[in-house]
Amino acid sequence: MQREVRMAGKTVVVSFAGQRRQVLAGTTVWEFFREFWGEVPLDVLAALVNRRMVMLDFPLRGLQVELEAVRAGSRLGETVLRRSAVLLLLAAAAELYPESRLVVGQSLGGGYFFSWHSQLPLTQDVVTSLAREMERMCQEDVPLTRSVITLEEAEAAFRARGEASKLELLATHRSSTVPVVSCGNFLDIAHGPVAPSAGRVRGWDLALYEDGILLRFARNGKQELLPLWPQPKLFATYRETRQWNEAVGIAHVGSLNRACLSGEISEIIRIAEGFHEKKIAQIADAIAARPQARVVLVAGPSASGKTTFIKRLGIQLRVCGLHPVGVSLDNYFVDRDKTPLDEEGKPDYESIEALDLPLFNEHLKALLEGKTVAVPKYDFVRGKRAEPERWSTLKLEPGQVLLIEGIHALNPRLTEAVAEESKFRIFISALTQLTLDDHNRIFTSDSRLLRRIVRDRLFRGHPAVRTLEMWPGVRRGERRWIFPFQEQADVMFNSALVYEPAVLKIFAERFLLEVPREHPAYTEAYRLLKFLAWFVPVFQEDVPSTSILREFIGGSAFEY
């Protein structure tokens, strides 16, 4: 642990675990924890100092400090553990295969996929040797060290290592210093805290996957990993998006920033939107090529752009001679007093049991048989189904297809009365393939979170703090009700746009600054602000009115 020179005569009052203790200013978090516990527990990876996440070598300063330990089993602890394991892998690769290059990619199979760039073929022996080197570092408890160097020193170091992606990222860095983290001889830009040493990095595994390496992680602080289930459709979607990015010359944030400053971004926006339109047209063609498919099911997580996607898909279906008819699952909610309860005893509106499945399946079957059904209307004010006289009738005419959107759309139970050949399933999400640089990925869910923060603040009257409070619950629902069924889709649509963080930055930064520093959500707001600081902003004028991004920033040609 690094030690800071104590500030003579100055003390800090530290509030931790319900106690208040006075220590010398400059005392590190590690030293405080060691004095508090006698020995720092192995599952303590980092800390929150006044709700900002820091490494354990962080010096405590100021008059008063609110301190929390970040443990491996927590959500924040998982991010530290993953970042630390990535650092170990990159250090192992630099040590064993210095002429080769690993490039981080998508989240997959409970871990991160890395592509292998080398004249040396990637084999199981290579993967095994990397895992053994990582295990050696863990057994020897090799330190993971953070430091701050000048911008010029950082550029010189990365230039000597041939790290072009990091040099491009630093080209628009406006601080005179750069935080870096090292393990052995490997140096990286520090985009967040890592564990103090390799011995605390547990619950990981390396696997050969397709033509790359999968670094997998355990969850909730456990060391045993779940079985690896192949996800060929998701992997193919990631690959397709990476090819789109390569086609426009944008693989990481540094190249995006360069395009923003050069003026190329206008053309990149048009090409990115063109890829979207082409893909939507291909999906419509696939539906039209299956005349027996009369039910189109669209599922996706929050802020994936489902509403705009469906409207654009509807246009392309009409081009193919089909007429989509929407059916809202909201009208099939059970009465509020019959809604299932979650673990906390609160109504779980995201549960599939919150829907009247028998009635919905009965109506689907009747519609496909050419019958007329009375579609119920749900009264959300009273929390119960409206009177029958307020219901509407629906009949599926020749050339029409039912378009059903919802979080449960791909769950077989929702449409169990419908023959498989009558269904066409679509999964949509914002699966960003943009990375900060070759070694630092962007959380896939961050794209959706930023979209939702902007939309909620602009059009729903919800401040960023409320969106951030709700987000963990939203994510839990997605993991339970959406993602387990994504591989059952006939086709996946990636709604991410390579340029969108640069546009969202203008809105999101302003709204995140409204989050009070004393609020628990400030930890996440602070992280997102640091992330957005790497982007050169882009004004929205070049974003087409039919873009999925318009659903979140306004100015859409569609009505919502």
Side-chain angles (χ1 to χ4, degrees):
M1 280 290 158
Q2 295 179 350
R3 297 176 64 92
E4 296 257 339
V5 177
R6 301 293 179 265
M7 299 176 69
K10 294 189 176 181
T11 59
V12 183
V13 176
V14 181
S15 298
F16 175 71
Q19 299 184 29
R20 289 166 64 86
R21 294 195 178 186
Q22 194 171 43
V23 300
L24 288 174
T27 299
T28 66
V29 174
W30 173 272
E31 291 168 337
F32 179 90
F33 283 161
R34 188 175 57 189
E35 180 180 342
F36 188 91
W37 281 310
E39 183 175 342
V40 182
L42 281 174
D43 69 333
V44 173
L45 303 178
L48 291 179
V49 173
N50 294 333
R51 304 201 183 280
R52 300 181 182 91
M53 193 156 66
V54 301
M55 287 184 61
L56 296 182
D57 62 355
F58 186 83
L60 299 172
R61 296 195 182 99
L63 298 177
Q64 296 187 14
V65 167
E66 296 287 335
L67 180 63
E68 298 177 53
V70 173
R71 294 180 177 268
S74 67
R75 182 179 61 84
L76 291 176
E78 282 190 7
T79 66
V80 177
L81 188 147
R82 292 185 174 210
R83 191 180 295 113
S84 304
V86 168
L87 182 61
L88 293 183
L89 172 59
L90 296 172
E95 177 68 25
L96 298 180
Y97 306 103
E99 302 303 318
S100 303
R101 189 164 62 97
L102 280 175
V103 177
V104 71
Q106 60 270 17
S107 174
L108 190 76
Y112 300 157
F113 179 82
F114 289 80
S115 56
W116 175 257
H117 302 263
S118 175
Q119 293 183 347
L120 177 71
L122 180 63
T123 64
Q124 182 59 55
D125 287 343
V126 171
V127 175
T128 300
S129 66
L130 289 170
R132 286 175 178 168
E133 178 65 10
M134 292 175 68
E135 289 168 355
R136 180 195 67 79
M137 289 188 283
C138 291
Q139 291 171 0
E140 296 181 6
D141 202 20
V142 173
L144 310 183
T145 306
R146 184 184 186 278
S147 59
V148 177
I149 60 179
T150 68
L151 177 60
E152 291 75 20
E153 287 174 326
E155 289 177 327
F158 294 129
R159 189 175 295 111
R161 290 168 169 80
E163 298 284 3
S165 68
K166 299 185 193 300
L167 290 172
E168 281 201 301
L169 185 63
L170 292 176
T172 54
H173 184 62
R174 287 298 168 258
S175 173
S176 61
T177 59
V178 179
V180 293
V181 62
S182 62
C183 176
N185 294 320
F186 182 79
L187 182 74
D188 197 4
I189 300 173
H191 292 285
V194 295
S197 58
R200 293 173 183 260
V201 185
R202 302 178 174 189
W204 57 266
D205 182 54
L206 278 189
L208 185 65
Y209 190 95
E210 296 288 340
D211 57 350
I213 297 174
L214 197 58
L215 175 58
R216 302 179 62 229
F217 311 102
R219 292 187 62 85
N220 302 321
K222 300 177 181 177
Q223 295 194 41
E224 293 185 5
L225 282 76
L226 296 174
L228 176 59
W229 299 103
Q231 295 177 285
K233 293 177 181 177
L234 182 62
F235 188 73
T237 303
Y238 279 128
R239 279 288 173 86
E240 179 183 55
T241 305
R242 178 57 67 95
Q243 291 169 0
W244 289 358
N245 290 357
E246 290 174 353
V248 296
I250 305 296
H252 43 71
V253 174
S255 52
L256 175 63
N257 288 341
R258 184 189 66 238
C260 293
L261 294 174
S262 69
E264 297 174 69
I265 192 63
S266 298
E267 182 70 8
I268 288 170
I269 290 174
R270 287 190 287 270
I271 297 173
E273 295 290 346
F275 281 132
H276 267 195
E277 194 60 36
K278 182 178 180 179
K279 184 67 175 182
I280 294 171
Q282 290 172 342
I283 294 173
D285 289 342
I287 295 170
R290 286 173 49 181
Q292 71 275 25
R294 303 290 305 281
V295 181
V296 178
L297 301 157
V298 182
S302 175
S304 56
K306 295 186 293 294
T307 305
T308 303
F309 169 79
I310 288 172
K311 291 181 181 296
R312 290 173 63 175
L313 178 63
I315 292 172
Q316 292 294 342
L317 287 173
R318 287 180 176 273
V319 172
C320 295
L322 298 176
H323 297 272
V325 177
V327 176
S328 174
L329 290 176
D330 287 355
N331 286 324
Y332 287 87
F333 274 123
V334 299
D335 289 350
R336 195 169 293 159
D337 59 359
K338 298 177 182 177
T339 301
L341 304 179
D342 61 18
E343 295 81 358
E344 298 178 356
K346 298 178 182 178
D348 186 1
Y349 299 111
E350 293 189 338
S351 169
I352 195 169
E353 305 295 342
L355 298 172
D356 189 338
L357 295 177
L359 180 62
F360 185 70
N361 275 275
E362 176 187 326
H363 282 183
L364 282 183
K365 187 172 183 294
L367 286 167
L368 293 179
E369 292 173 351
K371 299 176 182 179
T372 300
V373 301
V375 179
K377 183 174 181 59
Y378 195 80
D379 188 332
F380 283 92
V381 175
R382 296 189 300 158
K384 60 189 303 183
R385 194 166 290 163
E387 296 75 11
E389 55 267 25
R390 294 177 58 190
W391 296 13
S392 59
T393 59
L394 179 63
K395 182 180 180 181
L396 198 59
E397 303 290 346
Q400 291 184 332
V401 293
L402 287 175
L403 195 54
I404 301 169
E405 175 267 320
I407 66 171
H408 301 294
L410 301 190
N411 190 324
R413 291 184 59 199
L414 183 72
T415 54
E416 58 187 358
V418 179
E420 287 301 306
E421 62 268 17
S422 297
K423 306 173 190 176
F424 192 97
R425 299 182 177 93
I426 303 170
F427 176 77
I428 172 176
S429 189
L431 306 166
T432 181
Q433 281 297 275
L434 190 69
T435 60
L436 287 166
D437 54 44
D438 283 350
H439 301 142
N440 294 278
R441 63 186 299 276
I442 294 172
F443 293 138
T444 300
S445 61
D446 275 357
S447 297
R448 295 189 292 109
L449 176 55
L450 290 171
R451 285 178 174 185
R452 183 156 172 168
I453 286 171
V454 173
R455 181 195 63 190
D456 287 358
R457 178 66 168 76
L458 288 176
F459 307 114
R460 300 187 178 181
H462 298 168
V465 67
R466 179 174 176 181
T467 303
L468 292 171
E469 284 177 326
M470 295 172 61
W471 192 243
V474 171
R475 296 280 289 144
R476 282 194 299 271
E478 294 168 353
R479 287 191 293 268
R480 182 176 182 182
W481 298 113
I482 300 177
F483 297 134
F485 304 102
Q486 61 186 354
E487 282 292 324
Q488 298 184 20
D490 294 288
V491 65
M492 291 187 178
F493 177 77
N494 188 355
S495 70
L497 291 156
V498 69
Y499 70 86
E500 69 175 89
V503 176
L504 290 172
K505 171 178 179 168
I506 296 175
F507 301 90
E509 274 190 335
R510 166 68 176 78
F511 302 151
L512 286 166
L513 288 170
E514 296 174 354
V515 178
R517 282 184 291 175
E518 64 274 11
H519 196 282
Y522 180 73
T523 300
E524 187 72 346
Y526 181 73
R527 180 188 71 83
L528 289 170
L529 284 167
K530 289 182 67 177
F531 163 66
L532 288 170
W534 288 106
F535 290 87
V536 171
V538 171
F539 297 110
Q540 61 174 299
E541 283 74 16
D542 287 331
V543 180
S545 61
T546 56
S547 172
I548 280 176
L549 192 55
R550 286 290 178 186
E551 182 177 329
F552 306 96
I553 65 174
S556 177
F558 301 110
E559 293 183 3
Y560 300 108

